[in-house]
Amino acid sequence: MVFSKLFRRSAAPAPRVPDDGIVYAIGDIHGRLDCLEQLLAQIDADPERGDRRVTLVFLGDLIDRGPDSRGVVDRVMALCAASPDVHCLCGNHEELLLEAADGARPALGIFNRAGGRETLLSYGVDDETYEREDLKGVQRLIRDHVPPAHIDFLRSLPDSIVIGDYVMVHAGIRPGVALADQKSSDLRWIRAPFLDHRGHHERFVVHGHTVTDQPDLRDNRIGIDTGAYRTGRLTALALSGETRRFLTTHCPEGTGASVD
């Protein structure tokens, strides 16, 4: 009994971020500018901030499904331009828009089903015009209505960011593959191999992409996509030292395409 206590493996230390800062990772917004503004107001009023350096990380999927993708991109672009401590990652919906703009037929088809209509309406395309276009016409609408500055911004987005003991990505990582060797397709799209993995990763993973009713807190990851486009709940994970907290909005419920 004494020996079992002596040689029992100790628990892994809790992941942490640098002590002089506080990090807010923000889940999938999907065109819900109303939820984003409410969440940013909560972050501004957070009593735990104190005088610590604040880092914001948007986990991707700014666009599609919700009513104001353009407004969300404008807002996030302005935040990134104003501070080097604001970061935005590329999600699978940004990838779809960019590939659709380049004319890739598979991407155009998925974009059309996954909330691209709502995105283009937010950029000034009227509903009747959108409905009468074929896939090639949808590409033309993207190129004619989405400002080049927005396209350039979305093309510039990285796939991951490491802060302290955490790696933040849109969808997840491929288990057993070093972070330096991860593929963009996995970081933006992966589900089951990552979500089902129970072992520890190179770093603790914070991600969105897979909708859950509440933040999905596991031993090796935290998922914070709470389906804002539909539920009105946009979630931020606040990290300071070893502490984790969640901030969540309570906006009106919405509707939107369900393809992930």
Side-chain angles (χ1 to χ4, degrees):
M1 189 70 170
V2 173
F3 286 104
S4 67
K5 288 183 179 179
L6 285 174
F7 292 101
R8 184 178 299 157
R9 181 176 294 176
S10 59
R16 60 184 304 119
V17 296
D19 291 331
D20 62 345
I22 185 166
V23 180
Y24 299 92
I26 297 172
D28 305 33
I29 303 168
H30 280 304
R32 289 298 300 263
L33 181 61
D34 56 339
C35 297
L36 174 58
E37 294 293 3
Q38 187 180 120
L39 188 61
L40 291 174
Q42 290 184 39
I43 290 171
D44 284 343
D46 184 7
E48 299 297 322
R49 286 179 54 166
D51 58 358
R52 286 180 290 193
R53 181 173 181 174
V54 174
T55 299
L56 297 182
V57 181
F58 295 92
L59 298 184
D61 280 8
L62 307 181
I63 63 170
D64 294 347
R65 297 176 172 169
D68 198 357
S69 291
R70 178 173 189 154
V72 171
V73 175
D74 273 332
R75 187 73 162 100
V76 173
M77 284 179 64
L79 288 168
C80 289
S83 172
D85 295 321
V86 180
H87 310 272
C88 184
L89 306 181
C90 187
N92 62 309
H93 283 256
E94 283 77 42
E95 177 184 299
L96 285 172
L97 174 64
L98 294 171
E99 291 190 354
D102 292 337
R105 288 190 66 83
L108 279 163
I110 300 172
F111 175 77
N112 188 49
R113 302 193 306 273
R117 171 183 171 276
E118 290 80 5
T119 293
L120 286 179
L121 294 185
S122 78
Y123 279 98
V125 177
D126 66 84
D127 190 70
E128 184 177 335
T129 297
Y130 185 87
E131 292 300 327
R132 69 169 177 255
E133 294 290 356
D134 59 12
L135 292 184
K136 193 66 177 177
V138 170
Q139 179 196 11
R140 185 173 62 254
L141 292 177
I142 295 171
R143 297 180 74 88
D144 288 349
H145 288 82
V146 179
H150 282 207
I151 295 292
D152 290 345
F153 172 72
L154 298 179
R155 287 196 195 280
S156 75
L157 299 180
D159 288 324
S160 65
I161 183 172
V162 170
I163 301 177
D165 297 325
Y166 292 87
V167 59
M168 301 183 184
V169 296
H170 175 64
I173 66 174
R174 177 70 58 178
V177 177
L179 291 179
D181 297 326
Q182 294 283 331
K183 296 179 180 179
S184 291
S185 57
D186 285 330
L187 298 173
R188 299 175 185 178
W189 289 91
I190 198 168
R191 289 196 194 280
F194 166 68
L195 298 175
D196 297 342
H197 186 70
R198 295 294 177 262
H200 291 292
H201 300 293
E202 187 176 332
R203 292 179 187 268
F204 196 96
V205 183
V206 178
H207 66 96
H209 186 57
T210 298
V211 177
T212 52
D213 288 336
Q214 302 296 330
D216 188 12
L217 178 57
R218 304 298 177 100
D219 290 339
N220 57 2
R221 64 178 179 85
I222 299 177
I224 57 170
D225 181 359
T226 47
Y229 74 96
R230 175 174 47 83
T231 66
R233 296 192 300 273
L234 177 63
T235 295
L237 168 64
L239 301 170
S240 52
E242 295 180 356
T243 302
R244 302 168 181 161
R245 296 176 295 116
F246 297 99
L247 306 177
T248 303
T249 65
H250 299 280
C251 296
E253 292 185 0
T255 59
S258 61
V259 176
D260 292 321

